[in-house]
Structure formats: C-alpha cells, structure tokens
Amino acid sequence: MAMFLLLLIIGLTGLLAFILGPIKVLRNIISLIGAIGGLLYFVFKIRPGQAYALNIKIYNVHFGTGMSALSIFFGIILLGLFLIFLIASFHEDNDGAYYMFSFFSLLGALGVLFAKDLISFFFFFETMSLFSFLIVLKGNGETSHRSAFKYVMWSAFGAYAFLLGTFLKVNYTHSVMITDISYLGGNIKLWILILLLTPFMVKTALMPFHLWAPGAYTDSKDTYTVFLSGGLSKIGVFGYFIALFNVFSQIAVLYPWLLKVFAYIGAITASLAGIYAFMQDDAKKLLAYSSISQLGYVAVGFGVYSHFSVVAALFHALGHAVFESLLFLVVAGVYYRTKTHDLRKMGGLIKKMPLSFIGLLFGIIATSGIPPTIGFPSKWLLYEAIILKNDLFLVSLVFFASITAFLYSYKLIHSIFLGKLHKEHEHIKEAPFGYGFGIVVLLIPLFVLGTNPGIVVKPIDYIVRFYLKPDLAYNLTNMTTPLGHVNFPAIGITMTLLFTLSFIIYLIFGKSYRAAQEDNYTATEWIDKDFGLHYGGEFYGFMRKAFGKPLTWSFEKILNACLKVVSFLGEIARGFYMGDARVYLFYIILFFAIIVYIMGGKL
Amino acid sequence: MVSPILVIALTLFLAFSIPLLHMLSKKLPPFVPPLATLINLWILITNIKHVGEGAMLITTAGLKPPIAINLAIDKFSLLFAILIQVIGFLLSIYYLSQERKDMRFYMLFLLNILGASGIVMTGDLFNSFVFLEILEISSFGLVASGKDKKALEGGFKYMMIGAIGSSLYLLGIIVLYLSTGTLNMAHIAKLMPSIPDSVKLFSSILFLIGIGVEVELFPLNAWAPDAYQGAMDEISTQLSSIISKTGIYLAARIFLTIYGGLYATNIIFYLAITTFIVAELAALMQKNVKRMLAYSSVGQMGLLMLILSVFAKRGDVFVLTTAILLALNHAFGKGLLFLSLGSLTGNTRNYDIEDLKGAGRANPVLGFLFATGVLSIIGMPIFFGFWSKISLLISIMKANLMYLLALLLLVFLVELYYYANVIVNLFKGEGKKYRIGVIPVSVMLLFALSLIVFGLWPHPVFKIAQNAAASLMERSMYISSILGGM
Amino acid sequence: MDAGLIFYGSAIFLMVMGVFIAITGRHLIKILLGIDVFDTGLNLLIVSFGYINGGTAPIFSKYPNIFKNVVDPVPQALVLTAIVIGVAEMAMGLAIVMQIKEKFGTCNIAKLKELKW
C-alpha cells in the first residue's frame, strides 16, 4: 500500500502544481513539499519485500507491485535528482503543465521500479516516456520538436519491442509476472530476452539506439536534462538488471556470446560517443554524448557478467547520476547567466562563477575516473573485471573511451571557464541559489562515495550476491579483488597531494603572466578591444580532420533508407483511394467477383 | 418501465415535427435533437434493469415472433443504443453553438440517430435493412450538408457505394428468407443448421459486402476517406462515432449471432488485417490532417473487425470485451479528434499540416483536447486507449497469433509516427489564436474527461463491456429468449 | 420457356446493366439512373423469388383455403418497402447532384477531383 500512496502523493502534487500554475509561489511551494515528502516517505516507509497487488478481474491477473533492494537503490537516486532538478527549475520560466509533466514522468519512473509484472512495468514505462516526451516538446530550442519526435518514436520502438517480448513470454509461460524464462525450451527465450532488453538499450542510448539522445538531452529545458540524463536513464540500467538476472538468470551458461556482444556494444558506444562528444561545439550536446559514453561503461559492466563487474556497473550508474547531473546543472547555471550553450561564445567565466567552476572541475574529474571522486572506484573495478576476462580488445576499447573522456572534459572546462572572458559577459554573476544548491549537494556524494565506496557497494553487493558468485571483498574504504587490493582514501589523498605539489611547483617555477583581454596569443589572428578571441572555435579541429570521414557514415542513414521504403509503401496505399466514384464502385464489383470465384467451388 | 419502442417512435415524431416547430419559431429546431436524445437516453436507462440474460423482447403487432416485427434488446444492443444516444446528445449540444439556418439539417440528424438506434434494437432482419437505409440516406445528406465542393463530392461518393452496398445487403436477406421462410434474426439463427451450406456461404458473402461498406473493410472502404474529409467536422465525428459503430454492431449481430461466427469470418480476418495496414500506411503519407484522421479511422475499424473475426476463430468472452473497449475508445477518441481539429483550424476547413503549425500552442485548451484524443487513440497509458490496446494484444495473444501480434505492433509504430508528427507540429512555433465558445469546449472536455477518467479507473467500463460481450456470446440464450421455448 | 427463368434472367440482366451504366457513365444523373436500374432489377428478382406460376393472392379467411398455389406475400411487401426506400435514395442523390451542378458547374464525374489530399 505504501507504494501506491507514494505514487498518489507524486501524482497529486503534479496535479496541484498544474492547477496552481498561475500562482507561482504557491505552486513552487507545493511541488517542493511534494518532492521532499515523496523522498522522505520513500526513505522511511518503503522497505524491500513490501508488495501490493491490484487485481483487475478481466485479465485474470494480479498486477503486482513489489519492492526489491534494487528498486530502493534506484528510487533514492531518482527522487534525490528530482529534488535537485526541481529546486533549480524554479529559476526558469515554467508553467504549471511543465511541473505536472515532470511529476508524472517521475511517477512513471517510480512505477517501473515498483512493478512486479510486465504489464504494469509497461504501463509505467510508457507513462514515463510519454510525459518526458511532452517535456522535451515544451523545450525552448529551435529543434526541440524534431528532438521530441525522435524521442517519442524511439521510446515507442523500445516499448513495443518490450510489449512483443512480454506477450511472447506470457504466451509461453502463462504468467505476466517477471519470472525466470531461461528454463523454457527452444530458441524463443533468446528472442524474448532480446526484445525485453531493447527498451532499456534505447533508454540508456546504446549505440544503434542512441539517435534520440543528443537531441532530447540538448533540447529539453536545461534543468530537466539533469533529471532526464541522470535520473530517467537509470531506468534503463534497472531494466538491464531485470532482464539479465530476473528474467534470464542462466544467460552466462546458455548464451555467453550474447553477453559478449552486449559488452562490445557498450564499449563501442563508450568510445564512439566519446569521439562524437569532443567534436561538439554545443555544451549540452557535448554532455549528451558524454552521458551516452558513460552509460556505455555500464553496459560493459553487465556484459562482462562477473560479480564485481556488475557491482561496478551499478556503482557507475550511481556515479553517472551524480557527476553527469552535476555537469548538466553547471551548464544550466551558466546558461541561466549567459543565455548560450555555444562553447565558442563562452570563456573565462572562472572568476565570475567560481562555485560553478568548482562543480564542473570535480564533475569532469569524476567523469574521467580520477580519484578521489565517485568515478574512480567503478572504473577501477570495471577495468579489473575486464582484465580478469582476458579480453584485451575490450580493455583497449574501454581505455580508449577513457581517453576521449579526458579530451571532451578538457574542452568543456576550457571553453567555458578558462581562456578569455567575452565582453558581454563582464557583468554576470554566480549562478543563483537553486543551481548552487544542487552543485553543493551533488559534490557531497561525489567525494564521500569516491573515498568510502563501501557505503554503496555494500547494498549493491547484497543485491548482486544473490545471482553471481561473489569474488570481491570490501569494507568501507578498502576493496580486494583477485587482482589486488586498493585503499580509496589513501589513493585519494596521494592524488590530491600530487596535484597540490605540482600546482605549487607550477606556481614557483612556472613562467606565466596574466594576459589582458586584447593580448594576442593566437599568432596570426588580428584582435581588437571589442572582439575577444577565444580558442573554443576550432577546438580539436585537427581531430575532426582525423575522425570526420568515418563518422559521416551513420545509423541515421540506414534509418532514413527504411523510412523511404515505408513511405513508398504508403504512397502505393494512398493511390488506392485516389479514384472517382466509378472506380470505387468497380472495386466492389471486382471484390464480389473475386470472392465468388474463390468460393465458387463451395457454392 | 417505458417501452423502448418509444425511442423509435418519439425520435421519428420529433424529427418530422421540426418543420412545424420551424413555422412556429425559427429558434426552436436546434433544441429538438438534444431533447430527443435526452429522452431516448432516459428511456434506455430505465430499461437497463429489465434487460437480464438473453434479450428483452418487445412485440409490435401483438404477435409473437417469428411472425411480426419485434425489437430484441440484449445488453450488447443496449450498450450500443446508449452509446449512440450519448454521442448524439453531446453532438446536438455542440450544434447549439453553431449558426445553422437550415432546419432540414436537424431533421437529418435526428433521422440518423433514429436509424442507428433502430439497427441496434431491432430483432428483425428486414427491419434492420430499413433502418440501415434510413441511417445511410440521412448520412449522405449530412455529409453533403457542408454544401461546399468537397462535402458534395464526398456525399456523392458515399451515396453511390452505400446504395450498392445496402442493395446487396437486401439481397442477402432475401436469400436467407428463401431458405428459412422467416426474417426474424433469432429464428434464422435457430434454423441455421438446416440451411444448405452453399446458401449460407453465398448470403454471408452478400452480407459481407453490404456490411463491409458500412464498417469500411478494405476494398469496400474507398468512399470512407473522401466522405470523412469532405464532411463537416461534426459530421465526421458522427460518421466515426455513431455510423461506423452501428456497422460494427450489425456485423457482430449478423456474423456472430445469426451465422454463429462460422461463415465469412475467415475472409473478414484477412480483409481486416489488410484494411488496418493499408489505411495506416496511407495515413502516413497524408499532409491533410483530416484525411489522415479519416484513414486512421478506417484503420481502427479494421482493428475492430479483426478482433471480431478473431473471436469467431477462437471464441472467448474476453475477445469480445476487447472489441467493445476498442469501439468505445474509438467512438470517444476519434470523435474528440474530429471536433477539436475543427476548432484548431478555426473552422476554416483548411487542414493542411503546415497551416496547423503552432495552433496547439496558441490555443492550449484545444491543444490539450486534441492531444488527449491522439494519446487515447494510440493507446498511451493513463488514457482509456491504453486498456483497449492492451486488451487487444492480450486477446490476439490468447488466440495464439503471435506473428499477427508482431505485425500489429509494427503498424502501431507507423500509426504513432504520423500522430506524433501532428502533435509535434501543433506545438511548434507560434500559431493563430481562435475564439471558441463555451459550449463546444465543454462538449469536447466531456469527451476528453471520459477518456482520462476511465483511463485511470477502467473497472466500471470493463464491467459493462464484459456484460455486453457475455450477452452477445450467449447465442442460444438470445434465441431462446426471443422464441420462447420453441 | 419457364416463366421463372425469364424473370430471373431479366432481373439479373437489369442488375448487371445497372452496374455497367454506373461504372461506365460519365454524367452524374446517368450514374444515378444506373443505380436505380440496379435497384429495379433487384426488386424484380425479389418478387420473382416469391412468385409461383399460376398462384393466387394469399388471402386467408375463415373458409377453408381452396387454392393450393398461394404466392408468398412477404417478398412483395418487402419490395414495396424497398421501392419506397429506393425513391428516397434517388431523391437524396438527385438533390446532391443538383448542388454539385451548382457548385462545380458540371455533371461530369471525372471533374469531381477535390478530395485527393
């Protein structure tokens, strides 16, 4: 019952926020109360093992919702991020419907976590997709409509694949519950598994299914992107777990090649999206690809399918929620002040927006997986897991992806905060409270979990241990794997000391001077007082030359070819209805003649 | 208890009293249809508790069936009759807001309601032909009543095809009459085993064409997009919500009750799939939103016929319940779509998708209404359409037609593609703002609210649909309740 | 030659001819007439179904029925209704054609090409 009450709280808050739409203050207070209340209720009232079944007699099934430890894990991520998004979003100019949609999308996501049967899983999954689609549609970008369209089409593609898988499963097992199908005979179970995996691959934007993500992340409103990328994509990760463990527990025995393919898809996604990322000139698009790339790691973790690779994957999902949201939030704050996402039009904001700078700095450090941040433990575990699998090509792909992470991270921080300040940005201030609050709040887990990963690894291990043979020993700050031992605070402190040391050395021995705005450090470019040149323009231009050619080949072209075929069929179908009345009459007579001819023998 | 025969008598009386009332005062005619449908609704509702299992028999000439014409109302008919009256009432309220000088329009409207109610209530085959003709002739008039080029062309095409279709329907009736000597539906159903196979087959083909025109099956539905597109928006609503639903009723009654689901259903199965696919593909390429909705309507009718034929193949009360859920969803959803589309274009009758740009953003209420209709039709959760769609897929799964299921899901993706395109277009950029009256908006809101409320709380609708489906399925109960213990 | 055959033959001939006219005709009224001919053929067919050569009117009275060959009255009743309905249909059709002539300025069916997109 508690879960339904929670969904009710969320839903009613959304409705109230819509009704109170015009009265801004009241609406904000109500939605804040709803979100905080939901979070508290979730933390204090919802426990693993609670279940509630809704019986819809006509289907002869119990629609069940029940809690697992995993749902709690993801639920807290979702509700926490939603709160952060909500507080920041009060600075934007939003209407009541926007809040209603966002609350409903949260409701859908929570419902997915609660669902114990595939039909209600689908119900909530579609709810989530629908309302996040409406939010993307309400975005203010020029192309937000195109993006929203792509988003809903891909979501629906995934959802319908899921539905097909569901019905195949129900047809073979006569149960809509999420139950193990690996004991079924025949090859149909493989198809069911793949179909059930599809929507989650779409949600986490794995490579052939990622086409919606850059657009949707870029064109949704800045603060909602925090929730969309950090929060809702976690539903995909949750779905991986459901599909690979609850629905198909014997995958490592039956279809090891599928796991291998999955891991490779993840790794390719991680590296390709990384390459795409550092070629972007739009901050949000860069982050969108970065988000896709980071979720690729999660897929690799699941594909490797050992105890601590899955632990690493889930940990990385949490890490992604923290640092990717942090990055998006910083960019949102910067946009709030500068009104631009274009990296070429920013620069030198470090003195104007120091808190944002700190947020972004540690965000990219975590993205690159450097201690003492949250990105490190998961990547460390992941590398070890892959190395233990003896798959060198996979290792090199993932390492390559990490290199791209360095590259785009550097581009991001340099273009926004370093270099020269633009003239029109001389009078801007730090991002307002809502953004700052989120940044500070997100920085806490970023460090705490980076140095004490045991806090989270313990519950994750508790979940994963049930399915896979544990080979990871850990306590609050230490971890021991078959390959060795690591102490996270020690590494963190060493890293910080090294960094400080080199910074001191740089301060003492570095030959640097302060460059004035019109100081020309770009060789041949002519610069005057009104025109501050910034290196952001052709950042990594040489890379574009190197990688540009292969990247023009894209999945989008294949898709367009398919669309052409379908529209050709549509043109034919339409042709049938283009005659005049006599032609229509002729159809009837012809039909009559054909039917009588076919049935003639029986008459 | 008020005799349901009054529904027919009263509607007929009120329809032809309109010219007299018009002589009294020119303001009176618009108020007649709401009054008539409201009284009909009341009569039908008072009869709900009298309809038990099987059919309620109302004799006309004092003779027991199978001799005289009689009404036979079971829960299935009652559900459709009430649906017709509810939609008719909402539409006639909608008409109140419009300036319409011609009182003949209201007559046609009432005759249309009369024909539809008659078809769903009658227990006599020839009588159903008469009501079908009343329905069709008034529909031709209504479609053409837009009086511009498109309306007239649509009306003429509909008339040509409809006339031939209903003639073949009559021929089918006569063929059945020749071999049974009766026109009573229940009696024919009872005598069905004794009819030679070739007669059954031939008459079922004739019925298939006659009804196929009404329910827009594939090669017979060429008139449909033209008529929907040419008609005024409210008439398109009527076509999709009342007239085609009556066709569905007739199809269910004739192929399931009379033929016992044995003849022509295999043909219908393939025709319905073809209808669905062809219509959705045709809609994909449509730049004219109204014609697109028309194709979508045709496609939905294909789905409905498909589910009826699936029932005939693998009988299950759940499958029939699904059919009713789909019909209800389509009646309300598509009705809402046509109405709100009209308002979104500012009643300019210019439905080009490019010209609709931003209309939803400029008129948020209308945008919401249109979006509600779309989301319900494509079966998104929290709208009623979700339940009908899930039930559809479940019943196809239960019939073990997994390839069909995959195919349907693929076509749903096509459906989503063009609908999402329209939605996205509606909220793109800045559009024109239109003034709309309170009455149309409240009528549309009623449509939309019913979709949302019953989407969140589908139990009562399930219950009703299940009862109706059960009474349609109990063929022997229907026969014995009409003919007595004969 | 059997009388029934003549009736059936001519009825089916009328129906086929009606459809042929409707499909090949260009003028709207010609098409309507084609449909009407089709209807007439159908009505004739129905009547001939109930007809028995040398039969008498189906009059039942308190006296014992002396005639054995009673013509089935129901098809005739049905045809009467069908004729009335056909007239109504024709009236509606002609009304629409009149309007079409007014708006399009032509009665050529090939010129009715408004509804394609």
Side-chain angles (χ1 to χ4, degrees):
Chain A
M1 206 63 216
M3 288 161 292
F4 273 93
L5 220 56
L6 176 67
L7 295 185
L8 204 64
I9 292 174
I10 304 282
L12 282 183
T13 314
L15 215 57
L16 267 179
F18 174 66
I19 294 165
L20 297 173
I23 316 162
K24 253 190 172 175
V25 183
L26 207 55
R27 179 194 72 199
N28 291 354
I29 290 172
I30 290 283
S31 40
L32 203 57
I33 289 174
I36 293 176
L39 182 59
L40 292 179
Y41 191 84
F42 190 91
V43 171
F44 289 110
K45 280 281 179 193
I46 307 257
R47 291 283 169 273
Q50 285 174 348
Y52 182 77
L54 182 71
N55 184 9
I56 295 188
K57 281 219 177 75
I58 188 167
Y59 296 117
N60 278 328
V61 294
H62 296 262
F63 286 136
T65 61
M67 290 307 295
S68 67
L70 194 70
S71 315
I72 302 247
F73 175 68
F74 282 110
I76 289 176
I77 296 179
L78 276 172
L79 281 160
L81 277 183
F82 188 80
L83 196 59
I84 287 166
F85 141 72
L86 197 66
I87 291 172
S89 75
F90 292 148
H91 293 289
E92 284 175 344
D93 183 26
N94 294 319
D95 54 3
Y98 180 82
Y99 286 100
M100 182 170 73
F101 294 160
S102 48
F103 269 100
F104 284 180
S105 66
L106 174 68
L107 187 151
L110 287 176
V112 169
L113 297 182
F114 295 168
K116 272 277 164 284
D117 69 289
L118 291 165
I119 300 276
S120 40
F121 199 102
F122 175 75
F123 179 90
F124 288 117
F125 194 83
E126 279 279 86
T127 311
M128 176 181 76
S129 301
L130 169 63
F131 287 104
S132 46
F133 153 69
L134 288 174
I135 287 209
V136 178
L137 190 59
K138 280 181 88 68
N140 39 11
E142 279 288 302
T143 52
S144 68
H145 303 90
R146 194 72 213 148
S147 308
F149 181 70
K150 272 189 192 168
Y151 179 54
V152 73
M153 283 314 293
W154 277 103
S155 297
F157 167 74
Y160 287 165
F162 182 84
L163 208 52
L164 185 57
T166 302
F167 282 119
L168 280 174
K169 180 201 174 279
V170 178
N171 199 19
Y172 280 83
T173 63
H174 300 288
S175 157
V176 288
M177 294 296 157
I178 298 174
T179 50
D180 203 338
I181 56 163
S182 45
Y183 302 103
L184 289 180
N187 269 335
I188 193 76
K189 58 190 171 190
L190 175 65
W191 288 107
I192 297 175
L193 177 66
I194 291 174
L195 286 169
L196 289 186
L197 266 177
T198 312
F200 310 124
M201 299 209 269
V202 173
K203 226 30 300 133
T204 52
L206 271 194
M207 222 25 160
F209 306 121
H210 72 290
L211 291 172
W212 62 274
Y217 288 166
T218 311
D219 288 328
S220 51
K221 283 214 171 167
D222 288 356
T223 49
Y224 191 75
T225 318
V226 174
F227 185 58
L228 188 62
S229 153
L232 294 187
S233 64
K234 295 299 153 310
I235 296 299
V237 180
F238 176 74
Y240 286 164
F241 196 91
I242 294 288
L244 292 179
F245 291 96
N246 291 350
V247 176
F248 211 99
S249 58
Q250 299 301 308
I251 187 167
V253 182
L254 290 169
Y255 301 112
W257 58 268
L258 188 69
L259 283 174
K260 196 155 189 154
V261 169
F262 196 64
Y264 270 96
I265 291 179
I268 290 169
T269 305
S271 5
L272 269 184
I275 295 174
Y276 280 120
F278 66 66
M279 297 208 207
Q280 303 304 321
D281 286 329
D282 182 296
K284 278 186 90 178
K285 212 160 216 161
L286 188 150
L287 284 179
Y289 278 112
S290 136
S291 179
I292 298 170
S293 166
Q294 296 300 323
L295 287 169
Y297 287 98
V298 177
V300 174
F302 276 102
V304 171
Y305 209 75
S306 66
H307 172 255
F308 69 82
S309 82
V310 176
V311 171
L314 289 177
F315 195 97
H316 197 71
L318 171 66
H320 174 265
V322 173
F323 61 71
E324 210 66 51
S325 309
L326 181 60
L327 294 177
F328 271 117
L329 198 60
V330 170
V331 169
V334 170
Y335 178 81
Y336 182 78
R337 290 301 186 202
T338 63
K339 299 293 168 224
T340 178
H341 286 140
D342 196 337
L343 290 174
R344 288 166 293 193
K345 290 179 183 155
M346 291 188 262
L349 293 173
I350 178 165
K351 288 209 172 142
K352 305 286 177 190
M353 309 178 85
L355 180 64
S356 299
F357 171 71
I358 290 171
L360 192 79
L361 178 65
F362 288 109
I364 61 167
I365 288 176
T367 312
S368 318
I370 298 169
T373 58
I374 196 168
F376 174 65
S378 55
K379 280 200 179 167
W380 182 77
L381 282 178
L382 195 60
Y383 289 140
E384 290 211 344
I386 305 170
I387 289 166
L388 278 175
K389 278 266 160 175
N390 277 330
D391 195 337
L392 285 180
F393 190 60
L394 193 63
V395 176
S396 41
L397 263 178
V398 176
F399 269 114
F400 177 75
S402 298
I403 296 169
T404 62
F406 283 114
L407 291 176
Y408 64 70
S409 299
Y410 180 65
K411 178 169 182 174
L412 192 67
I413 197 162
H414 178 276
S415 303
I416 297 179
F417 288 106
L418 307 179
K420 299 200 168 188
L421 188 68
H422 277 241
K423 252 237 155 30
E424 61 267 31
H425 293 160
E426 260 167 18
H427 301 293
I428 63 172
K429 286 180 277 192
E430 177 57 77
F433 168 77
Y435 299 94
F437 172 80
I439 291 170
V440 172
V441 168
L442 284 171
L443 278 175
I444 296 169
L446 188 100
F447 286 116
V448 172
L449 298 182
T451 47
N452 304 294
I455 302 173
V456 183
V457 169
K458 192 176 171 194
I460 296 177
D461 172 57
Y462 168 77
I463 299 162
V464 180
R465 195 178 277 272
F466 188 71
Y467 302 97
L468 291 169
K469 194 167 68 68
D471 47 6
L472 172 73
Y474 61 93
N475 60 22
L476 193 60
T477 51
N478 295 288
M479 280 191 206
T480 310
T481 65
L483 282 184
H485 174 85
V486 64
N487 182 326
F488 288 100
I491 286 189
I493 290 165
T494 320
M495 202 71 190
T496 320
L497 278 180
L498 278 175
F499 186 77
T500 328
L501 197 67
S502 48
F503 192 63
I504 290 168
I505 291 171
Y506 165 77
L507 279 186
I508 297 170
F509 301 105
K511 290 176 183 162
S512 66
Y513 69 97
R514 286 191 52 76
Q517 185 65 265
E518 62 275 14
D519 196 344
N520 185 347
Y521 73 115
T522 55
T524 55
E525 299 283 343
W526 178 258
I527 285 176
D528 61 26
K529 270 197 174 166
D530 302 327
F531 180 74
L533 190 71
H534 183 44
Y535 185 56
E538 268 292 287
F539 212 106
Y540 295 142
F542 61 93
M543 290 284 199
R544 203 174 302 213
K545 273 176 202 155
F547 288 108
K549 201 72 179 173
L551 290 185
T552 50
W553 184 89
S554 71
F555 298 106
E556 214 149 4
K557 281 188 183 159
I558 303 175
L559 196 68
N560 284 340
C562 291
L563 275 180
K564 271 221 174 81
V565 173
V566 176
S567 40
F568 177 67
L569 288 177
E571 204 60 55
I572 293 175
R574 213 169 63 78
F576 178 78
Y577 296 98
M578 299 245 279
D580 60 30
R582 293 172 302 166
V583 181
Y584 298 166
L585 191 58
F586 183 66
Y587 291 155
I588 293 188
I589 303 303
L590 201 65
F591 173 71
F592 183 65
I594 290 172
I595 291 281
V596 170
Y597 179 76
I598 293 172
M599 296 288 161
K602 292 180 197 161
L603 281 176
Chain B
M1 175 185 148
V2 190
S3 173
I5 203 155
L6 275 179
V7 170
I8 292 165
L10 195 86
T11 317
L12 204 57
F13 170 74
L14 283 174
F16 287 107
S17 69
I18 285 178
L20 294 174
L21 290 171
H22 185 72
M23 273 184 229
L24 277 179
S25 159
K26 290 201 163 60
K27 282 187 180 148
L28 279 178
F31 294 97
V32 178
L35 181 73
T37 43
L38 206 58
I39 295 175
N40 289 348
L41 200 57
W42 174 72
I43 294 172
L44 290 170
I45 285 171
T46 57
N47 275 295
I48 286 178
K49 55 179 179 290
H50 298 289
V51 179
E53 288 184 28
M56 181 170 73
L57 176 70
I58 292 116
T59 50
T60 50
L63 287 169
K64 283 264 175 248
I67 304 297
I69 291 174
N70 60 292
L71 300 188
I73 303 173
D74 62 356
K75 283 179 181 154
F76 182 62
S77 341
L78 199 64
L79 175 66
F80 270 76
I82 290 178
L83 174 73
I84 289 163
Q85 306 305 335
V86 167
I87 302 234
F89 177 68
L90 288 175
L91 275 178
S92 56
I93 293 287
Y94 187 90
Y95 293 140
L96 285 182
S97 67
Q98 290 178 328
E99 288 283 322
R100 211 186 289 275
K101 300 212 171 57
D102 200 342
M103 51 102 187
R104 282 172 295 182
F105 176 83
Y106 300 101
M107 282 177 72
L108 281 177
F109 176 79
L110 265 189
L111 286 176
N112 202 278
I113 297 286
L114 165 76
S117 327
I119 288 176
V120 299
M121 292 198 301
T122 186
D124 185 276
L125 212 44
F126 186 74
N127 201 13
S128 80
F129 164 74
V130 175
F131 282 124
L132 182 68
E133 283 286 8
I134 294 179
L135 178 78
E136 284 202 334
I137 294 173
S138 55
S139 322
F140 310 149
L142 285 175
V143 170
S145 68
K147 289 197 173 168
D148 59 358
K149 283 185 172 183
K150 287 182 177 169
L152 290 167
E153 188 186 336
F156 186 78
K157 283 177 174 167
Y158 185 18
M159 198 211 71
M160 261 185 80
I161 309 300
I164 297 288
S166 52
S167 296
L168 291 177
Y169 181 76
L170 176 62
L171 191 55
I173 293 173
I174 297 301
V175 170
L176 271 188
Y177 171 76
L178 279 181
S179 48
T180 59
T182 175
L183 287 169
N184 188 288
M185 288 185 185
H187 200 199
I188 296 177
K190 191 183 156 106
L191 296 177
M192 195 41 81
S194 64
I195 304 176
D197 262 1
S198 61
V199 173
K200 278 193 255 190
L201 202 59
F202 186 62
S203 57
S204 67
I205 289 171
L206 291 172
F207 280 126
L208 172 63
I209 295 179
I211 298 171
V213 168
E214 260 326 90
V215 299
E216 299 154 19
L217 274 180
F218 166 59
L220 317 169
N221 61 3
W223 62 271
D226 293 337
Y228 278 94
Q229 188 194 353
M232 288 179 297
D233 303 305
E234 315 86 71
I235 306 302
S236 304
T237 303
Q238 199 159 344
L239 273 173
S240 70
S241 304
I242 297 181
I243 299 169
S244 61
K245 293 299 159 297
T246 316
I248 287 293
Y249 172 87
L250 208 53
R253 192 48 92 200
I254 286 182
F255 291 116
L256 299 185
T257 303
I258 294 185
Y259 284 93
L262 286 177
Y263 292 87
T265 43
N266 215 7
I267 308 172
I268 292 179
F269 179 72
Y270 291 108
L271 284 184
I273 297 175
T274 322
T275 309
F276 183 56
I277 295 172
V278 168
E280 299 292 359
L281 280 177
L284 184 65
M285 297 306 294
Q286 216 52 53
K287 292 279 172 289
N288 183 315
V289 179
K290 186 144 178 212
R291 197 171 172 87
M292 200 194 81
L293 291 182
Y295 283 125
S296 157
S297 226
V298 173
Q300 295 287 327
M301 295 301 287
L303 268 190
L304 266 166
M305 289 307 283
L306 175 65
I307 206 77
L308 283 183
S309 63
V310 166
F311 167 76
K313 271 176 173 294
R314 318 260 157 94
D316 187 349
V317 70
F318 181 77
V319 182
L320 273 184
T321 313
T322 302
I324 293 171
L325 293 182
L326 274 175
L328 288 177
N329 179 42
H330 185 235
F332 281 87
K334 203 43 77 62
L336 175 62
L337 278 181
F338 278 121
L339 286 182
S340 54
L341 179 67
S343 302
L344 272 173
T345 56
N347 293 322
T348 53
R349 289 176 69 68
N350 178 11
Y351 304 105
D352 200 272
I353 193 163
E354 293 297 318
D355 296 334
L356 279 173
K357 224 176 238 175
R361 185 166 277 193
N363 313 284
V365 177
L366 289 175
F368 160 76
L369 291 168
F370 190 86
T372 306
V374 166
L375 295 174
S376 193
I377 289 286
I378 60 181
M380 280 291 178
I382 89 159
F383 298 100
F384 185 67
F386 178 80
W387 301 107
S388 63
K389 197 170 204 169
I390 280 288
S391 313
L392 168 77
L393 296 173
I394 288 179
S395 33
I396 288 175
M397 182 203 74
K398 278 187 169 176
N400 219 349
L401 302 163
M402 295 317 281
Y403 288 103
L404 177 63
L405 190 89
L407 185 72
L408 283 190
L409 284 172
L410 211 61
V411 183
F412 283 151
L413 213 55
V414 172
E415 192 182 23
L416 181 67
Y417 188 91
Y418 63 78
Y419 269 130
N421 209 356
V422 177
I423 289 281
V424 161
N425 237 292
L426 276 184
F427 293 95
K428 174 158 68 180
E430 292 305 314
K432 260 189 234 143
K433 204 163 166 53
Y434 297 111
R435 266 196 41 198
I436 35 163
V438 181
I439 294 175
V441 165
S442 42
V443 167
M444 287 187 260
L445 269 178
L446 276 176
F447 272 95
L449 281 183
S450 60
L451 287 175
I452 292 176
V453 168
F454 292 117
L456 292 172
W457 186 47
H459 288 251
V461 185
F462 279 162
K463 196 115 205 137
I464 293 169
Q466 207 170 17
N467 285 338
S471 80
L472 175 61
M473 211 173 94
E474 288 299 326
R475 189 166 165 253
S476 54
M477 187 72 90
Y478 178 85
I479 295 171
S480 66
S481 60
I482 296 292
L483 299 178
M486 260 170 77
Chain C
M1 204 177 175
D2 187 12
L5 205 63
I6 297 173
F7 286 135
Y8 291 144
S10 52
I12 288 171
F13 173 73
L14 276 179
M15 285 170 75
V16 172
M17 195 171 76
V19 170
F20 183 77
I21 293 171
I23 289 181
T24 55
R26 289 188 160 274
H27 200 275
L28 291 177
I29 292 187
K30 208 171 188 179
I31 290 170
L32 276 184
L33 286 177
I35 293 173
D36 204 29
V37 170
F38 176 81
D39 275 351
T40 312
L42 188 65
N43 291 342
L44 187 55
L45 190 67
I46 295 170
V47 175
S48 45
F49 279 149
Y51 178 72
I52 297 165
N53 208 4
T56 52
I59 299 168
F60 296 95
S61 57
K62 57 184 178 181
Y63 305 109
N65 203 352
I66 49 167
F67 303 110
K68 286 229 170 73
N69 287 337
V70 176
V71 173
D72 188 355
V74 176
Q76 296 177 10
L78 300 190
V79 163
L80 272 181
T81 320
I83 288 172
V84 174
I85 288 172
V87 168
E89 205 165 274
M90 203 46 50
M92 183 57 82
L94 287 173
I96 294 176
V97 171
M98 270 169 63
Q99 294 280 346
I100 288 178
K101 171 76 183 166
E102 221 167 81
K103 289 275 162 20
F104 284 80
T106 171
C107 279
N108 189 342
I109 192 165
K111 296 272 164 64
L112 269 63
K113 279 187 174 167
E114 288 283 310
L115 299 165
K116 282 199 172 172
W117 274 104

